[in-house]
Amino acid sequence: MLKEEWLVKHCGGDVITLLRFLDVETYELVGESVMGVLLKDGSVRVQDGQTIRQYFTANTEDAEQVSSIKLMEAEVALYWKVMCMHLQAEAQVKGSEAATTTGTEAAVYASEASDKNDLLDGVLPSTVAEFVDLVKAHLSAGPNYHFASRQLLLLGGMLDFSDSMNRKVASSFLYELLNRPLEHEVDEDGNQIAIGDGVSLGGDLQWAKAVSELAKKVHASIGEFEMVIATVVEELARPCRERTADFMQWMHCLAVTGLLLENTSTLRSLEGTAIRPSEVLQSLLLPAAKQKHVDVQRAALRCLCLFGLLENKPSTELVKQLRLSFINGPDLVSAMASKALIDLVSWHGPQELDQAIGTEPSDANYEKTQFAPVDISDLNDDDLNVGVLSILFSGFHKDDWEFSPEGDNHDNVPTILGEGFAKILLLSENYPSISADLHPVILAQLVRLYFLEESKELGRLKQCLSVFFLHYPSLSEKHKRCVSSAFVPLMRAMWPGIHGNAGGSGPVVSKKRKQAVQAARFMVQMVQSPLFSTETAEQACMSPESLSSSPGPFVNYDISEEGLAIRIAVEVGNSQDKKSAPMKAYALALCKVAVLLRFRQSEQKAIKCMRGLVNTLAASAASDKDLMKELAQMASRLKSLDESPEEELPQDQADAIFEQLGLAGGVKLDAANTVVPPTPAPPRSVRAPPARRRARRAASSSDDSEAEAEGESLDVTSVSQVPATPSVATARAQRASKTAALSKFKSSVKPSLEAASDSEQDEMSGLTTDEDPSDDSDDPDEEES
């Protein structure tokens, strides 16, 4: 990053030029950060004669002096806002230091604080009336000065409103700001289009915050803020309650209502105001949510969410309306409804929302292990047997959501659901009503969403999930267990052509398989990531020898690489019964993942269990020579780690491991712990070259010695039914075929050559007769024939 001093020098020493270079209207936070650094370093200071008052120019030509205001550029307005906030912060720091010290040091700090306050008073407008005139002038200048107006409005928090006259002037100005209609445009057909986000006051969330901060400063007494804002809401709500308001009036009223609810700590503070909480809900928010205009529905749902957060228990009508809007609303409305439901679930818990509407799941046990299968398109409005989490989770499976990256990414339903469920997983301890068995289901869906082709354009979602996946598996053992448990369900859901998944053309299937393989390797990386815990730190201080020789009394295989390898091997074994091409490719892909996992010498039971499952992997990988070599190497490593390689793991102990991993039934371990890549036999239709008997016998003895020396090789019968070397029966069959060929050749030759043919046939009979292999001799003449 370039140093701020160099930037100032590069811009001719003018900080305003620097801010203009940074484009502060687009990168406001960057401009504030650079200004803050320059002010702390002393590179920028208030020069003599510099003040906001210089933008007031007096016109004395008339009999009555009239002041005109020079408009500020966006960079100038940001400069003065940051400068005044810096002076105020320094004055407060010096004042605090003066209050905590005594003697001469306290006097010095007090003097410095007084100097900062005097400098701030000299920079700010001299009166509240001048401040109001300055902001009004920029507001009247149009949308191009909206940014400057917001920067100047924030200066009001530094003014003194203790005087009743100043407070009256500021209160009147606030009333105008709250009643200021939303800015809009008119299209070619004469339709009004609101400018901004459509839910905040002024169409800008930052503007709404600036107005609320000024209102809290002016109306600082207890309950005064709520009283004033509620009065404005009641006035704006009259045409809405009388059903005479257009959509712009609805949006304006809901924007002020949202401002009130967002800055209120409890609904009790609204009791006794111009409009009671029950009236806000029944007469304003619920009717607004049923309006036809999309922007009105979005603003109403945002207010319903804020209202629900203030309630001790969510009301029935509120939850029903949010569910209905999520199910039946357009995409933008469903996005706002999903965001509201996620916020309410995070605040109250899913059980509270379900109890508010009397939800009674048809199968409570199923709800604890799986989300109820819901088709949003066919869900009835009055169907209350489906929990709120099941409804939200079903949003992942809806195919017609818009993934368009246009506008803000948070308007996409998949983005909101992804962020919301990631938050639920991170804070799972706060939601005991959500079964732990649902966590792997949620995690698998988040990984699948992360690798979807449509998600590439959703930058906000990708960034959120990237940070989530980086930290989630390392926070606790529960999270690591969730990652391991989610691996197999994720692969089943992503692999095309199996378990009801759609297939497609060759390129489509290939792309889907690549995505599934990427997701599998990604999950392996999460399993291999270290834990951020005290136990991990203690184990890191131990040497590998002491760590491997000190096994614990109870091993959590479901949080380790060993457990994931066993899960994969069992899944491969259960897939061997299905001989379809997609299933074979699926099993082969799982085998390629299994060889990436590592085993610790301390986990002897897991090592023995995996040695009994290696042949299961090899049976599915027989068609891939490179993979077979990797499996052989894996088997060799497992044998070297096994402290008692001749002893087998009892089936009951293997079943205990399977039960701990949640593998119902498991598979039977293979007693033969030998794995050898198969050597394909030559086709019978191809004539095998004649082999010398002495060489064949030598090769046979050599093979026997190699088989004895090879400690860890794949069992021939467990991999393929094709023998590794040609048998004697095969050789005899080849000789019989030669005899038949010669007989045919004899019948086709001329009679004059019969004598020569007979002599040649007698000479060749030694190669074609069915002789017993035990009669083989080492005669060199026979070898030459």
Side-chain angles (χ1 to χ4, degrees), residues 425-468:
L425 286 183
L426 281 176
L427 305 177
S428 57
E429 296 181 355
N430 298 337
Y431 312 110
S433 61
I434 302 178
S435 174
D437 294 333
L438 292 176
H439 296 171
V441 181
I442 297 174
L443 180 62
Q445 182 58 48
L446 293 181
V447 177
R448 182 168 177 263
L449 179 65
Y450 183 75
F451 284 96
L452 276 181
E453 186 71 22
E454 295 84 354
S455 302
K456 291 184 178 180
E457 302 297 331
L458 304 180
R460 179 187 176 94
L461 174 64
K462 298 283 285 188
Q463 181 180 10
C464 172
L465 293 182
S466 297
V467 177
F468 168 76

Side-chain angles (χ1 to χ4, degrees), residues 548-614:
S548 61
S549 61
S550 58
F554 177 76
V555 181
N556 290 329
Y557 293 112
D558 51 354
I559 66 172
S560 62
E561 295 184 52
E562 294 88 353
L564 180 57
I566 294 174
R567 290 180 190 273
I568 293 175
V570 172
E571 177 69 7
V572 172
N574 294 333
S575 303
Q576 290 178 353
D577 297 336
K578 302 175 182 179
K579 302 300 183 179
S580 63
M583 188 61 70
K584 291 180 180 179
Y586 170 68
L588 188 64
L590 290 180
C591 294
K592 293 181 179 180
V593 176
V595 297
L596 302 176
L597 298 169
R598 300 163 297 187
F599 282 73
R600 297 166 293 177
Q601 190 172 5
S602 59
E603 311 303 331
Q604 287 296 308
K605 291 184 179 181
I607 291 173
K608 290 182 177 295
C609 181
M610 193 62 193
R611 289 189 66 195
L613 296 173
V614 170

Side-chain angles (χ1 to χ4, degrees), residues 423-719:
K423 185 195 304 181
I424 290 175
L425 286 183
L426 281 176
L427 305 177
S428 57
E429 296 181 355
N430 298 337
Y431 312 110
S433 61
I434 302 178
S435 174
D437 294 333
L438 292 176
H439 296 171
V441 181
I442 297 174
L443 180 62
Q445 182 58 48
L446 293 181
V447 177
R448 182 168 177 263
L449 179 65
Y450 183 75
F451 284 96
L452 276 181
E453 186 71 22
E454 295 84 354
S455 302
K456 291 184 178 180
E457 302 297 331
L458 304 180
R460 179 187 176 94
L461 174 64
K462 298 283 285 188
Q463 181 180 10
C464 172
L465 293 182
S466 297
V467 177
F468 168 76
F469 292 138
L470 181 64
H471 295 87
Y472 177 76
S474 302
L475 293 178
S476 69
E477 291 185 354
K478 293 181 179 179
H479 295 175
K480 187 81 73 172
R481 182 180 300 110
C482 178
V483 175
S484 180
S485 301
F487 180 87
V488 172
L490 171 66
M491 291 298 292
R492 290 178 179 176
M494 293 191 67
W495 198 266
I498 64 172
H499 297 290
N501 300 334
S505 60
V508 173
V509 170
S510 177
K511 181 180 294 186
K512 290 182 178 180
R513 289 181 179 180
K514 289 181 180 179
Q515 292 175 354
V517 171
Q518 290 177 355
R521 294 178 179 271
F522 188 72
M523 295 284 282
V524 169
Q525 292 178 0
M526 285 197 286
V527 172
Q528 293 175 343
S529 61
L531 285 172
F532 300 150
S533 63
T534 306
E535 297 179 359
T536 305
E538 294 176 355
Q539 293 178 0
C541 298
M542 299 174 62
S543 62
E545 293 78 7
S546 60
L547 186 61
S548 61
S549 61
S550 58
F554 177 76
V555 181
N556 290 329
Y557 293 112
D558 51 354
I559 66 172
S560 62
E561 295 184 52
E562 294 88 353
L564 180 57
I566 294 174
R567 290 180 190 273
I568 293 175
V570 172
E571 177 69 7
V572 172
N574 294 333
S575 303
Q576 290 178 353
D577 297 336
K578 302 175 182 179
K579 302 300 183 179
S580 63
M583 188 61 70
K584 291 180 180 179
Y586 170 68
L588 188 64
L590 290 180
C591 294
K592 293 181 179 180
V593 176
V595 297
L596 302 176
L597 298 169
R598 300 163 297 187
F599 282 73
R600 297 166 293 177
Q601 190 172 5
S602 59
E603 311 303 331
Q604 287 296 308
K605 291 184 179 181
I607 291 173
K608 290 182 177 295
C609 181
M610 193 62 193
R611 289 189 66 195
L613 296 173
V614 170
N615 286 330
T616 303
L617 300 176
S620 298
S623 60
D624 192 325
K625 294 182 180 179
D626 294 335
L627 181 57
M628 289 298 298
K629 293 180 181 179
E630 295 181 5
L631 286 174
Q633 294 174 1
M634 179 182 182
S636 179
R637 289 195 304 267
L638 290 174
K639 183 179 180 181
S640 64
L641 293 174
D642 195 346
E643 296 176 354
S644 54
E646 301 301 329
E647 298 180 5
E648 298 176 1
L649 182 68
Q651 188 64 38
D652 57 343
Q653 297 186 16
D655 294 338
I657 296 177
F658 296 151
E659 183 179 358
Q660 181 183 352
L661 296 175
L663 303 174
V667 295
K668 187 177 180 180
L669 300 184
D670 193 345
N673 292 323
T674 57
V675 178
V676 175
T679 302
R684 296 189 178 185
S685 60
V686 180
R687 179 176 176 178
R692 297 184 180 183
R693 293 176 181 171
R694 177 178 295 179
R696 182 177 59 196
R697 178 169 296 178
S700 176
S701 61
S702 176
D703 290 343
D704 294 339
S705 61
E706 289 180 1
E708 294 176 358
E710 183 65 35
E712 195 65 26
S713 58
L714 284 176
D715 187 13
V716 174
T717 59
S718 65
V719 177

Side-chain angles (χ1 to χ4, degrees), residues 104 172 189 228 248 271 344 369 458 471 499 508 573 659 710:
T104 305
S172 176
D189 299 330
V228 172
M248 292 296 297
E271 296 290 347
L344 293 180
T369 58
L458 304 180
H471 295 87
H499 297 290
V508 173
E659 183 179 358
E710 183 65 35

